[in-house]
Amino acid sequence: TVRSYDEIPGNWRSSLASLYTFWKLGGLKNIHRIMVNNFNTFGPIYREKVGYYESVNIINPEDAAILFKAEGRYPKRLTVEAWTAYRDYRNRRYGVLLKNGEDWRSNRVILNKEVISPQVVGNFVPLLDEVGQDFVSRVHKQIERSGKGRWTADLSHELFRFALESVSHVLYGERLGLLQDHIDPDTQKFIDCITLMFKTTSPMLYIPPALLRRVGAKVWRDHVEAWDAIFSHADRCIQNIYRKLRQSPESEGKYPGVLASLLMLDKLSIEDIKASVTELMAGGVDTTSITLLWTMYELARYPDLQEQLRAEVQDAWASSQGDMIKMLKSIPLVKGAIKETLRLHPVAVSLQRYITEDIVIQNYHIPSGTLVQLGLYAMGRNPQIFPRPLQYNPARWLKGEIHYFKSLSFGFGPRQCLGRRIAEIEMQLFLIHLLQNFKIEKQRQVNVGSTFELIILPDKPILLTLRPL
Ligand code: HEM
Ligand code: 2DC
């Protein structure tokens, strides 16, 4: 017989007990490890109440499948209230990230066509390839300048610029020029504000932003300042394209970028387009850059694996003869490496849905309307799900076996990451060019852990050395 909802294990009855584990394990910055700990204590399902929201947490791929089958026609995630509070406060429209219901769906369907459908992603390849090549040129230049035949640096800042340059090229069909030496201060501010925006969001998962706003708390003020800078810079970029398009709508058959395509399509209001394009621009910076940084870190730790990937890339290069679309079809190990990075270092600590029908998971009844979270970080490190989980092994994604609900780093279904294809192509092309040009090395002793600042980040700077082959 099925056990009742109230029998689900967990500290949910006693907020004090959960607060205690939360505090003991380092709280805020450790959510991912607290979740691992909770699964170890309670098993594959537990109920919890943290801050102002209650949820049921699951970890198994088979249970994830049940969850996503019950997500309904308008899948809804946990609302990040800091983000909606800012939009309400400044009277700015929600984009696809924050919309729900029919409004979300109608916008998303149109955006899908321009951002993630197979018919358009081919257009992104040359744009992203160009940025990848420029990154390599920039590294060669830095190596030359150093006079040491190598370049050692915390590459995160370089990767932020690379990522913003990449996503902007796709969105606007234009280069911003972020891989040159001089960077415009407004753009640097935009980059810094995205990081600040994420960082100031996480405390507000636990303390309602409305409250923080009323007492004039610093996190709220910083958060508003960050979003203000993000919106004003994105507005300028969007306005610029809009103006050009009105002056000369002819684009001579050249792919004009996502924004111009959406404007010409004329199916979404300008305000809706602006809101979603701003979200895409802001969502395109820290996510791919940090994933690439982790990948370089892992490849530096495993030099033999790095050589294997390089060999794959060189073979693919020889057989595709510069046809990048063809090339991208023959690098399974590089793709496996990206999946493997995201297994160990996911951007999102969890995936969540409000279920729209009653379900049974681990023999417990869960009523419709409940917020159910899949612990993505915990799942990626669980030995029952991924044997020898701490080993970075891209080949585990190659074998003929099916990875039923195990590859969920970008979410699932109609509400999955809208930037997924941009992110994947951008990261694949980056790694291709990097591996073709440089050896990646790191200092031996240093081991890097992770910290939670809304997204999962390295807990210390990662110093890497790039050496020409
Ligand atoms: C949503 C992961 C890069 C824009 C999401 C979600 C995840 C995710 C897990 C939630 C999906 C769900 O609930 O099922 C990632 C990862 C990235 C990445 C791992 C790179 C390594 C990007 C990029 C962009 C972007 C480059 C923009 C170009 C978005 C947007 C949503 C989203 C707009 C909300 C979609 C909606 O609610 O309909 N992402 N993301 N992401 N992501 Fe990404
Ligand atoms: C954070 O408990 C932890 O892709 C919370 O590009 C639950 C939660 C809800 C939504 C998740 C968020 C977590 C992590 C960051 C995500 C976000 C949805 C989209 C966002 C995963 C897991 C992200 C990084 C987007 C951000 C776009 C934004 C900057 C405009």
Side-chain angles (χ1 to χ4, degrees), residues 52 81-92 94 200 203-204 206-225 227-228:
Y52 48 89
E81 283 193 32
W83 298 350
T84 51
Y86 169 81
R87 305 281 172 108
D88 298 346
Y89 177 56
R90 288 290 196 228
N91 224 332
R92 289 190 197 275
Y94 295 1
T200 50
M204 291 193 260
Y206 301 94
I207 310 168
L211 179 76
L212 292 167
R213 183 183 145 191
R214 225 172 312 127
V215 303
K218 182 163 164 29
V219 265
W220 169 254
R221 283 185 282 127
D222 287 350
H223 191 68
V224 168
E225 212 183 292
W227 273 124
D228 279 348

mmCIF file of all heavy atoms in Angstrom, residues 52 81-92 94 200 203-204 206-225 227-228:
data_model
loop_
_atom_site.group_PDB
_atom_site.id
_atom_site.type_symbol
_atom_site.label_atom_id
_atom_site.label_comp_id
_atom_site.label_asym_id
_atom_site.label_seq_id
_atom_site.Cartn_x
_atom_site.Cartn_y
_atom_site.Cartn_z
ATOM 1 N N TYR A 52 10.741 30.141 3.428
ATOM 2 C CA TYR A 52 9.289 30.234 3.281
ATOM 3 C C TYR A 52 8.715 29.240 2.278
ATOM 4 O O TYR A 52 7.577 29.342 1.878
ATOM 5 C CB TYR A 52 8.879 31.667 2.930
ATOM 6 C CG TYR A 52 9.689 32.298 1.810
ATOM 7 C CD1 TYR A 52 9.291 32.141 0.485
ATOM 8 C CD2 TYR A 52 10.825 33.064 2.079
ATOM 9 C CE1 TYR A 52 10.012 32.730 -0.532
ATOM 10 C CE2 TYR A 52 11.559 33.659 1.054
ATOM 11 C CZ TYR A 52 11.142 33.484 -0.252
ATOM 12 O OH TYR A 52 11.859 34.072 -1.265
ATOM 13 N N GLU A 81 11.882 34.706 -6.030
ATOM 14 C CA GLU A 81 11.099 35.908 -5.705
ATOM 15 C C GLU A 81 11.896 37.193 -5.810
ATOM 16 O O GLU A 81 11.334 38.256 -6.092
ATOM 17 C CB GLU A 81 10.477 35.770 -4.312
ATOM 18 C CG GLU A 81 9.280 34.846 -4.356
ATOM 19 C CD GLU A 81 8.445 34.901 -3.099
ATOM 20 O OE1 GLU A 81 8.382 35.981 -2.472
ATOM 21 O OE2 GLU A 81 7.878 33.861 -2.736
ATOM 22 N N ALA A 82 13.210 37.100 -5.593
ATOM 23 C CA ALA A 82 14.032 38.304 -5.733
ATOM 24 C C ALA A 82 13.894 38.862 -7.155
ATOM 25 O O ALA A 82 13.833 40.074 -7.353
ATOM 26 C CB ALA A 82 15.484 37.976 -5.422
ATOM 27 N N TRP A 83 13.818 37.949 -8.121
ATOM 28 C CA TRP A 83 13.768 38.386 -9.516
ATOM 29 C C TRP A 83 12.404 38.992 -9.876
ATOM 30 O O TRP A 83 12.333 40.002 -10.561
ATOM 31 C CB TRP A 83 14.105 37.219 -10.468
ATOM 32 C CG TRP A 83 15.497 36.681 -10.277
ATOM 33 C CD1 TRP A 83 16.496 37.238 -9.509
ATOM 34 C CD2 TRP A 83 16.045 35.496 -10.860
ATOM 35 N NE1 TRP A 83 17.625 36.463 -9.585
ATOM 36 C CE2 TRP A 83 17.388 35.386 -10.404
ATOM 37 C CE3 TRP A 83 15.552 34.506 -11.721
ATOM 38 C CZ2 TRP A 83 18.237 34.337 -10.781
ATOM 39 C CZ3 TRP A 83 16.395 33.470 -12.101
ATOM 40 C CH2 TRP A 83 17.721 33.389 -11.635
ATOM 41 N N THR A 84 11.340 38.347 -9.400
ATOM 42 C CA THR A 84 10.018 38.906 -9.702
ATOM 43 C C THR A 84 9.807 40.204 -8.906
ATOM 44 O O THR A 84 9.214 41.157 -9.413
ATOM 45 C CB THR A 84 8.885 37.904 -9.404
ATOM 46 O OG1 THR A 84 9.056 37.412 -8.075
ATOM 47 C CG2 THR A 84 8.915 36.738 -10.368
ATOM 48 N N ALA A 85 10.332 40.235 -7.663
ATOM 49 C CA ALA A 85 10.185 41.448 -6.851
ATOM 50 C C ALA A 85 10.851 42.642 -7.535
ATOM 51 O O ALA A 85 10.307 43.747 -7.544
ATOM 52 C CB ALA A 85 10.776 41.240 -5.454
ATOM 53 N N TYR A 86 12.017 42.406 -8.133
ATOM 54 C CA TYR A 86 12.691 43.504 -8.842
ATOM 55 C C TYR A 86 11.843 43.991 -10.015
ATOM 56 O O TYR A 86 11.637 45.186 -10.197
ATOM 57 C CB TYR A 86 14.082 43.102 -9.345
ATOM 58 C CG TYR A 86 14.646 44.145 -10.289
ATOM 59 C CD1 TYR A 86 15.245 45.298 -9.790
ATOM 60 C CD2 TYR A 86 14.502 44.018 -11.675
ATOM 61 C CE1 TYR A 86 15.706 46.306 -10.645
ATOM 62 C CE2 TYR A 86 14.966 45.006 -12.544
ATOM 63 C CZ TYR A 86 15.559 46.145 -12.020
ATOM 64 O OH TYR A 86 15.990 47.137 -12.873
ATOM 65 N N ARG A 87 11.331 43.052 -10.804
ATOM 66 C CA ARG A 87 10.547 43.472 -11.976
ATOM 67 C C ARG A 87 9.307 44.248 -11.550
ATOM 68 O O ARG A 87 8.942 45.241 -12.174
ATOM 69 C CB ARG A 87 10.103 42.272 -12.815
ATOM 70 C CG ARG A 87 11.207 41.354 -13.279
ATOM 71 C CD ARG A 87 11.982 41.835 -14.459
ATOM 72 N NE ARG A 87 13.116 40.935 -14.644
ATOM 73 C CZ ARG A 87 13.218 40.054 -15.646
ATOM 74 N NH1 ARG A 87 12.303 40.007 -16.586
ATOM 75 N NH2 ARG A 87 14.258 39.248 -15.716
ATOM 76 N N ASP A 88 8.655 43.753 -10.474
ATOM 77 C CA ASP A 88 7.448 44.434 -10.005
ATOM 78 C C ASP A 88 7.799 45.841 -9.507
ATOM 79 O O ASP A 88 7.110 46.811 -9.805
ATOM 80 C CB ASP A 88 6.774 43.632 -8.879
ATOM 81 C CG ASP A 88 6.316 42.250 -9.366
ATOM 82 O OD1 ASP A 88 6.276 42.029 -10.596
ATOM 83 O OD2 ASP A 88 6.007 41.389 -8.509
ATOM 84 N N TYR A 89 8.905 45.913 -8.775
ATOM 85 C CA TYR A 89 9.367 47.174 -8.190
ATOM 86 C C TYR A 89 9.653 48.218 -9.266
ATOM 87 O O TYR A 89 9.273 49.378 -9.159
ATOM 88 C CB TYR A 89 10.633 46.861 -7.384
ATOM 89 C CG TYR A 89 11.329 48.042 -6.756
ATOM 90 C CD1 TYR A 89 10.654 48.904 -5.889
ATOM 91 C CD2 TYR A 89 12.691 48.266 -7.004
ATOM 92 C CE1 TYR A 89 11.313 49.972 -5.307
ATOM 93 C CE2 TYR A 89 13.349 49.331 -6.416
ATOM 94 C CZ TYR A 89 12.661 50.181 -5.579
ATOM 95 O OH TYR A 89 13.317 51.225 -4.992
ATOM 96 N N ARG A 90 10.318 47.813 -10.328
ATOM 97 C CA ARG A 90 10.695 48.739 -11.401
ATOM 98 C C ARG A 90 9.705 48.752 -12.558
ATOM 99 O O ARG A 90 9.970 49.381 -13.591
ATOM 100 C CB ARG A 90 12.072 48.362 -11.973
ATOM 101 C CG ARG A 90 13.237 48.666 -11.076
ATOM 102 C CD ARG A 90 13.455 50.157 -10.967
ATOM 103 N NE ARG A 90 14.765 50.464 -10.429
ATOM 104 C CZ ARG A 90 14.968 51.348 -9.440
ATOM 105 N NH1 ARG A 90 13.948 51.966 -8.888
ATOM 106 N NH2 ARG A 90 16.200 51.594 -9.022
ATOM 107 N N ASN A 91 8.630 47.994 -12.369
ATOM 108 C CA ASN A 91 7.630 47.955 -13.413
ATOM 109 C C ASN A 91 8.190 47.468 -14.751
ATOM 110 O O ASN A 91 7.897 48.042 -15.796
ATOM 111 C CB ASN A 91 7.059 49.368 -13.609
ATOM 112 C CG ASN A 91 5.551 49.288 -13.725
ATOM 113 O OD1 ASN A 91 5.020 48.267 -14.166
ATOM 114 N ND2 ASN A 91 4.876 50.343 -13.336
ATOM 115 N N ARG A 92 9.005 46.442 -14.681
ATOM 116 C CA ARG A 92 9.531 45.869 -15.910
ATOM 117 C C ARG A 92 8.842 44.542 -16.180
ATOM 118 O O ARG A 92 8.511 43.797 -15.267
ATOM 119 C CB ARG A 92 11.033 45.605 -15.776
ATOM 120 C CG ARG A 92 11.869 46.851 -15.752
ATOM 121 C CD ARG A 92 13.325 46.451 -15.862
ATOM 122 N NE ARG A 92 14.217 47.516 -15.461
ATOM 123 C CZ ARG A 92 14.629 48.488 -16.275
ATOM 124 N NH1 ARG A 92 14.205 48.527 -17.511
ATOM 125 N NH2 ARG A 92 15.450 49.423 -15.830
ATOM 126 N N TYR A 94 8.023 40.719 -17.243
ATOM 127 C CA TYR A 94 8.670 39.409 -17.128
ATOM 128 C C TYR A 94 8.969 38.889 -18.524
ATOM 129 O O TYR A 94 8.155 39.032 -19.421
ATOM 130 C CB TYR A 94 7.744 38.374 -16.461
ATOM 131 C CG TYR A 94 7.371 38.623 -15.027
ATOM 132 C CD1 TYR A 94 7.818 39.736 -14.324
ATOM 133 C CD2 TYR A 94 6.566 37.712 -14.351
ATOM 134 C CE1 TYR A 94 7.465 39.938 -12.993
ATOM 135 C CE2 TYR A 94 6.202 37.897 -13.021
ATOM 136 C CZ TYR A 94 6.650 39.012 -12.348
ATOM 137 O OH TYR A 94 6.291 39.202 -11.040
ATOM 138 N N THR A 200 23.552 38.160 -4.798
ATOM 139 C CA THR A 200 22.579 38.776 -3.885
ATOM 140 C C THR A 200 21.231 38.058 -3.936
ATOM 141 O O THR A 200 20.376 38.301 -3.086
ATOM 142 C CB THR A 200 22.366 40.268 -4.220
ATOM 143 O OG1 THR A 200 22.096 40.403 -5.625
ATOM 144 C CG2 THR A 200 23.603 41.083 -3.869
ATOM 145 N N PRO A 203 20.611 34.835 -0.662
ATOM 146 C CA PRO A 203 19.986 35.042 0.654
ATOM 147 C C PRO A 203 18.472 35.252 0.562
ATOM 148 O O PRO A 203 17.730 34.888 1.476
ATOM 149 C CB PRO A 203 20.670 36.302 1.197
ATOM 150 C CG PRO A 203 21.633 36.769 0.193
ATOM 151 C CD PRO A 203 21.663 35.822 -0.940
ATOM 152 N N MET A 204 18.035 35.806 -0.560
ATOM 153 C CA MET A 204 16.603 36.083 -0.702
ATOM 154 C C MET A 204 15.786 34.838 -1.039
ATOM 155 O O MET A 204 14.572 34.915 -1.179
ATOM 156 C CB MET A 204 16.390 37.200 -1.727
ATOM 157 C CG MET A 204 16.908 38.536 -1.183
ATOM 158 S SD MET A 204 16.374 39.940 -2.141
ATOM 159 C CE MET A 204 17.813 40.272 -3.135
ATOM 160 N N TYR A 206 15.740 32.674 1.143
ATOM 161 C CA TYR A 206 15.336 32.329 2.509
ATOM 162 C C TYR A 206 14.655 33.461 3.245
ATOM 163 O O TYR A 206 13.849 33.234 4.133
ATOM 164 C CB TYR A 206 16.570 31.848 3.294
ATOM 165 C CG TYR A 206 17.148 30.666 2.610
ATOM 166 C CD1 TYR A 206 18.181 30.802 1.688
ATOM 167 C CD2 TYR A 206 16.557 29.413 2.777
ATOM 168 C CE1 TYR A 206 18.649 29.710 0.985
ATOM 169 C CE2 TYR A 206 17.009 28.321 2.076
ATOM 170 C CZ TYR A 206 18.059 28.478 1.178
ATOM 171 O OH TYR A 206 18.501 27.402 0.478
ATOM 172 N N ILE A 207 14.993 34.683 2.912
ATOM 173 C CA ILE A 207 14.339 35.832 3.532
ATOM 174 C C ILE A 207 13.573 36.567 2.437
ATOM 175 O O ILE A 207 14.149 36.939 1.422
ATOM 176 C CB ILE A 207 15.382 36.770 4.165
ATOM 177 C CG1 ILE A 207 16.342 35.964 5.049
ATOM 178 C CG2 ILE A 207 14.707 37.874 4.967
ATOM 179 C CD1 ILE A 207 17.566 36.751 5.477
ATOM 180 N N PRO A 208 12.267 36.749 2.625
ATOM 181 C CA PRO A 208 11.455 37.344 1.559
ATOM 182 C C PRO A 208 11.979 38.725 1.153
ATOM 183 O O PRO A 208 12.202 39.575 2.014
ATOM 184 C CB PRO A 208 10.064 37.474 2.188
ATOM 185 C CG PRO A 208 10.070 36.584 3.365
ATOM 186 C CD PRO A 208 11.482 36.421 3.808
ATOM 187 N N PRO A 209 12.180 38.941 -0.150
ATOM 188 C CA PRO A 209 12.673 40.230 -0.625
ATOM 189 C C PRO A 209 11.779 41.404 -0.214
ATOM 190 O O PRO A 209 12.292 42.496 0.031
ATOM 191 C CB PRO A 209 12.716 40.071 -2.147
ATOM 192 C CG PRO A 209 12.120 38.755 -2.460
ATOM 193 C CD PRO A 209 12.071 37.947 -1.234
ATOM 194 N N ALA A 210 10.471 41.161 -0.133
ATOM 195 C CA ALA A 210 9.572 42.248 0.252
ATOM 196 C C ALA A 210 9.949 42.789 1.634
ATOM 197 O O ALA A 210 9.934 43.997 1.880
ATOM 198 C CB ALA A 210 8.129 41.757 0.254
ATOM 199 N N LEU A 211 10.325 41.858 2.502
ATOM 200 C CA LEU A 211 10.739 42.235 3.855
ATOM 201 C C LEU A 211 12.055 43.012 3.817
ATOM 202 O O LEU A 211 12.201 44.072 4.433
ATOM 203 C CB LEU A 211 10.895 40.964 4.695
ATOM 204 C CG LEU A 211 11.359 41.148 6.141
ATOM 205 C CD1 LEU A 211 10.196 41.657 6.990
ATOM 206 C CD2 LEU A 211 11.907 39.856 6.711
ATOM 207 N N LEU A 212 13.001 42.472 3.060
ATOM 208 C CA LEU A 212 14.310 43.130 2.963
ATOM 209 C C LEU A 212 14.189 44.523 2.364
ATOM 210 O O LEU A 212 14.901 45.448 2.730
ATOM 211 C CB LEU A 212 15.266 42.267 2.133
ATOM 212 C CG LEU A 212 15.644 40.952 2.818
ATOM 213 C CD1 LEU A 212 16.323 39.995 1.853
ATOM 214 C CD2 LEU A 212 16.539 41.215 4.026
ATOM 215 N N ARG A 213 13.264 44.640 1.440
ATOM 216 C CA ARG A 213 13.044 45.933 0.812
ATOM 217 C C ARG A 213 12.490 46.928 1.834
ATOM 218 O O ARG A 213 12.935 48.072 1.922
ATOM 219 C CB ARG A 213 12.061 45.759 -0.336
ATOM 220 C CG ARG A 213 11.813 47.019 -1.121
ATOM 221 C CD ARG A 213 10.778 46.767 -2.200
ATOM 222 N NE ARG A 213 9.953 47.951 -2.380
ATOM 223 C CZ ARG A 213 8.842 47.962 -3.099
ATOM 224 N NH1 ARG A 213 8.406 46.867 -3.682
ATOM 225 N NH2 ARG A 213 8.162 49.074 -3.222
ATOM 226 N N ARG A 214 11.538 46.460 2.639
ATOM 227 C CA ARG A 214 10.915 47.335 3.626
ATOM 228 C C ARG A 214 11.921 47.862 4.642
ATOM 229 O O ARG A 214 11.877 49.016 5.021
ATOM 230 C CB ARG A 214 9.757 46.617 4.334
ATOM 231 C CG ARG A 214 8.535 47.501 4.443
ATOM 232 C CD ARG A 214 7.295 46.765 4.974
ATOM 233 N NE ARG A 214 7.041 45.500 4.312
ATOM 234 C CZ ARG A 214 6.876 44.344 4.971
ATOM 235 N NH1 ARG A 214 6.941 44.304 6.284
ATOM 236 N NH2 ARG A 214 6.629 43.236 4.296
ATOM 237 N N VAL A 215 12.871 46.990 5.053
ATOM 238 C CA VAL A 215 13.852 47.445 6.038
ATOM 239 C C VAL A 215 15.089 48.081 5.384
ATOM 240 O O VAL A 215 16.047 48.426 6.063
ATOM 241 C CB VAL A 215 14.290 46.297 6.991
ATOM 242 C CG1 VAL A 215 13.084 45.709 7.699
ATOM 243 C CG2 VAL A 215 15.054 45.214 6.227
ATOM 244 N N GLY A 216 15.045 48.215 4.060
ATOM 245 C CA GLY A 216 16.157 48.865 3.358
ATOM 246 C C GLY A 216 17.470 48.106 3.432
ATOM 247 O O GLY A 216 18.547 48.695 3.492
ATOM 248 N N ALA A 217 17.376 46.759 3.412
ATOM 249 C CA ALA A 217 18.580 45.926 3.558
ATOM 250 C C ALA A 217 19.551 46.093 2.386
ATOM 251 O O ALA A 217 19.133 46.331 1.253
ATOM 252 C CB ALA A 217 18.174 44.462 3.679
ATOM 253 N N LYS A 218 20.841 45.921 2.681
ATOM 254 C CA LYS A 218 21.874 46.119 1.666
ATOM 255 C C LYS A 218 21.755 45.120 0.511
ATOM 256 O O LYS A 218 21.930 45.502 -0.636
ATOM 257 C CB LYS A 218 23.261 46.044 2.295
ATOM 258 C CG LYS A 218 24.396 46.295 1.303
ATOM 259 C CD LYS A 218 25.688 46.624 2.024
ATOM 260 C CE LYS A 218 26.953 46.522 1.183
ATOM 261 N NZ LYS A 218 26.867 46.773 -0.239
ATOM 262 N N VAL A 219 21.464 43.839 0.840
ATOM 263 C CA VAL A 219 21.337 42.870 -0.267
ATOM 264 C C VAL A 219 20.292 43.306 -1.259
ATOM 265 O O VAL A 219 20.479 43.141 -2.469
ATOM 266 C CB VAL A 219 20.895 41.428 0.135
ATOM 267 C CG1 VAL A 219 22.068 40.524 0.330
ATOM 268 C CG2 VAL A 219 19.903 41.398 1.216
ATOM 269 N N TRP A 220 19.187 43.797 -0.771
ATOM 270 C CA TRP A 220 18.128 44.228 -1.692
ATOM 271 C C TRP A 220 18.598 45.408 -2.536
ATOM 272 O O TRP A 220 18.443 45.434 -3.750
ATOM 273 C CB TRP A 220 16.844 44.584 -0.921
ATOM 274 C CG TRP A 220 15.834 45.266 -1.796
ATOM 275 C CD1 TRP A 220 15.505 46.587 -1.795
ATOM 276 C CD2 TRP A 220 15.051 44.668 -2.858
ATOM 277 N NE1 TRP A 220 14.574 46.860 -2.765
ATOM 278 C CE2 TRP A 220 14.278 45.704 -3.428
ATOM 279 C CE3 TRP A 220 14.939 43.373 -3.367
ATOM 280 C CZ2 TRP A 220 13.395 45.480 -4.491
ATOM 281 C CZ3 TRP A 220 14.054 43.149 -4.429
ATOM 282 C CH2 TRP A 220 13.295 44.195 -4.980
ATOM 283 N N ARG A 221 19.245 46.376 -1.885
ATOM 284 C CA ARG A 221 19.730 47.543 -2.627
ATOM 285 C C ARG A 221 20.763 47.141 -3.673
ATOM 286 O O ARG A 221 20.702 47.580 -4.822
ATOM 287 C CB ARG A 221 20.311 48.589 -1.656
ATOM 288 C CG ARG A 221 19.205 49.375 -0.929
ATOM 289 C CD ARG A 221 19.773 50.489 -0.055
ATOM 290 N NE ARG A 221 20.308 49.951 1.197
ATOM 291 C CZ ARG A 221 21.539 50.175 1.649
ATOM 292 N NH1 ARG A 221 22.399 50.905 0.946
ATOM 293 N NH2 ARG A 221 21.940 49.647 2.798
ATOM 294 N N ASP A 222 21.681 46.260 -3.293
ATOM 295 C CA ASP A 222 22.684 45.784 -4.258
ATOM 296 C C ASP A 222 22.026 45.035 -5.416
ATOM 297 O O ASP A 222 22.450 45.135 -6.566
ATOM 298 C CB ASP A 222 23.690 44.842 -3.566
ATOM 299 C CG ASP A 222 24.645 45.615 -2.663
ATOM 300 O OD1 ASP A 222 24.652 46.863 -2.732
ATOM 301 O OD2 ASP A 222 25.364 44.973 -1.875
ATOM 302 N N HIS A 223 21.013 44.259 -5.059
ATOM 303 C CA HIS A 223 20.320 43.473 -6.072
ATOM 304 C C HIS A 223 19.645 44.398 -7.096
ATOM 305 O O HIS A 223 19.755 44.174 -8.305
ATOM 306 C CB HIS A 223 19.280 42.584 -5.377
ATOM 307 C CG HIS A 223 18.680 41.531 -6.265
ATOM 308 N ND1 HIS A 223 19.415 40.461 -6.749
ATOM 309 C CD2 HIS A 223 17.429 41.378 -6.770
ATOM 310 C CE1 HIS A 223 18.628 39.703 -7.503
ATOM 311 N NE2 HIS A 223 17.422 40.243 -7.544
ATOM 312 N N VAL A 224 18.997 45.421 -6.610
ATOM 313 C CA VAL A 224 18.329 46.379 -7.488
ATOM 314 C C VAL A 224 19.355 47.095 -8.366
ATOM 315 O O VAL A 224 19.169 47.225 -9.582
ATOM 316 C CB VAL A 224 17.518 47.404 -6.664
ATOM 317 C CG1 VAL A 224 17.062 48.581 -7.522
ATOM 318 C CG2 VAL A 224 16.310 46.723 -6.017
ATOM 319 N N GLU A 225 20.453 47.494 -7.758
ATOM 320 C CA GLU A 225 21.490 48.180 -8.508
ATOM 321 C C GLU A 225 22.043 47.282 -9.624
ATOM 322 O O GLU A 225 22.280 47.731 -10.743
ATOM 323 C CB GLU A 225 22.616 48.556 -7.545
ATOM 324 C CG GLU A 225 23.344 49.826 -7.912
ATOM 325 C CD GLU A 225 24.487 50.075 -6.932
ATOM 326 O OE1 GLU A 225 24.190 50.357 -5.743
ATOM 327 O OE2 GLU A 225 25.644 49.948 -7.349
ATOM 328 N N TRP A 227 20.527 44.646 -11.159
ATOM 329 C CA TRP A 227 19.545 44.486 -12.246
ATOM 330 C C TRP A 227 19.399 45.782 -13.051
ATOM 331 O O TRP A 227 19.248 45.752 -14.267
ATOM 332 C CB TRP A 227 18.175 44.071 -11.704
ATOM 333 C CG TRP A 227 17.940 42.600 -11.510
ATOM 334 C CD1 TRP A 227 17.556 41.983 -10.353
ATOM 335 C CD2 TRP A 227 18.001 41.547 -12.500
ATOM 336 N NE1 TRP A 227 17.387 40.634 -10.548
ATOM 337 C CE2 TRP A 227 17.646 40.337 -11.854
ATOM 338 C CE3 TRP A 227 18.327 41.506 -13.866
ATOM 339 C CZ2 TRP A 227 17.601 39.101 -12.531
ATOM 340 C CZ3 TRP A 227 18.277 40.269 -14.534
ATOM 341 C CH2 TRP A 227 17.927 39.096 -13.858
ATOM 342 N N ASP A 228 19.436 46.928 -12.354
ATOM 343 C CA ASP A 228 19.326 48.207 -13.070
ATOM 344 C C ASP A 228 20.417 48.315 -14.132
ATOM 345 O O ASP A 228 20.151 48.682 -15.275
ATOM 346 C CB ASP A 228 19.452 49.391 -12.094
ATOM 347 C CG ASP A 228 18.128 49.672 -11.359
ATOM 348 O OD1 ASP A 228 17.081 49.115 -11.770
ATOM 349 O OD2 ASP A 228 18.158 50.439 -10.371
#
